[in-house]
């Protein structure tokens, strides 16, 4: 994980309006959200796993599934997950569990971010700052 300091840190936005701005740019709300916090993810690449820019946010009033929720942005960071090749030796193979556990476990869920993506991440953060703050 590589943190990228940003002018976005601590800024507050209506979640709905933030989604309207970020989704057309390629951001999605990551699957790891909860009722009080979540992440906007931008997939940079998928080299033997994937590399992405993650922008954390937390609810400052209400819950994320409520209309009109205001969120505060945290420090963006780059994250890489490296997946193992081949078959996952620990995958469940039962009929029911196989429908949920279709994918290999990460070989390294906090892999080193390749150097070439650091400048890409910084440029993405600058683009976000221009879009949301200027």
């Amino acid at each position: 994980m590589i943190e990228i300091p940003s002018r976005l840190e601590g800024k507050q936005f209506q979640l709905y309006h933030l989604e309207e701005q970020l989704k057309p740019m390629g951001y999605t709300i990551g699957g790891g959200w909860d009722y009080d916090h979540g992440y906007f993810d931008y997939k940079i690449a998928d080299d033997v796993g994937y590399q992405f820019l993650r922008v954390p946010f937390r609810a400052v009033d209400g819950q994320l599934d409520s209309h009109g929720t205001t969120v505060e942005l945290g420090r963006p960071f780059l994250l890489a997950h490296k997946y193992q090749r081949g078959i996952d030796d620990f995958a469940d193979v039962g009929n029911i569990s196989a429908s949920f556990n279709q994918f290999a476990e990460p070989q390294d869920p906090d892999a080193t971010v390749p150097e070439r993506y650091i400048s890409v991440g910084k440029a993405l953060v600058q683009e976000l700052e221009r879009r949301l703050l200027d």
Side-chain angles (χ1 to χ4, degrees):
M1 179 179 85
I2 298 174
E3 292 184 338
I4 301 175
S6 170
R7 296 184 296 140
L8 294 169
E9 294 174 54
K11 300 296 185 204
Q12 295 183 3
F13 301 90
Q14 291 287 312
L15 180 58
Y16 175 78
H17 296 300
L18 198 56
E19 286 183 85
E20 284 185 323
Q21 291 288 315
L22 299 185
K23 285 186 176 184
M25 296 173 67
Y27 288 83
T28 60
I29 292 184
W33 71 276
D34 204 338
Y35 291 103
D36 64 345
H37 68 279
Y39 305 94
F40 279 101
D41 290 340
Y42 183 92
K43 186 175 180 181
I44 296 172
D46 56 2
D47 299 338
V48 190
Y50 57 89
Q51 297 76 35
F52 58 94
L53 174 67
R54 177 165 273 185
V55 181
F57 60 88
R58 67 176 185 83
V60 294
D61 69 354
Q63 295 182 334
L64 297 183
D65 63 345
S66 300
H67 181 70
T69 300
T70 301
V71 297
E72 181 176 297
L73 298 181
R75 179 172 286 189
F77 58 94
L78 293 169
L79 192 61
H81 287 268
K82 182 177 179 184
Y83 285 94
Q84 60 186 331
R85 295 188 180 273
I87 299 172
D88 184 354
D89 294 332
F90 300 104
D92 294 322
V93 293
N95 289 337
I96 295 173
S97 65
S99 65
F100 296 105
N101 300 323
Q102 302 173 35
F103 306 102
E105 287 294 315
Q107 176 181 334
D108 187 354
D110 194 17
T112 302
V113 176
E115 187 68 32
R116 65 185 175 272
Y117 297 125
I118 296 172
S119 60
V120 172
K122 289 178 179 178
L124 287 168
V125 169
Q126 289 174 348
E127 180 183 18
L128 277 176
E129 290 172 343
R130 281 191 301 274
R131 172 70 66 97
L132 298 174
L133 301 177
D134 296 339

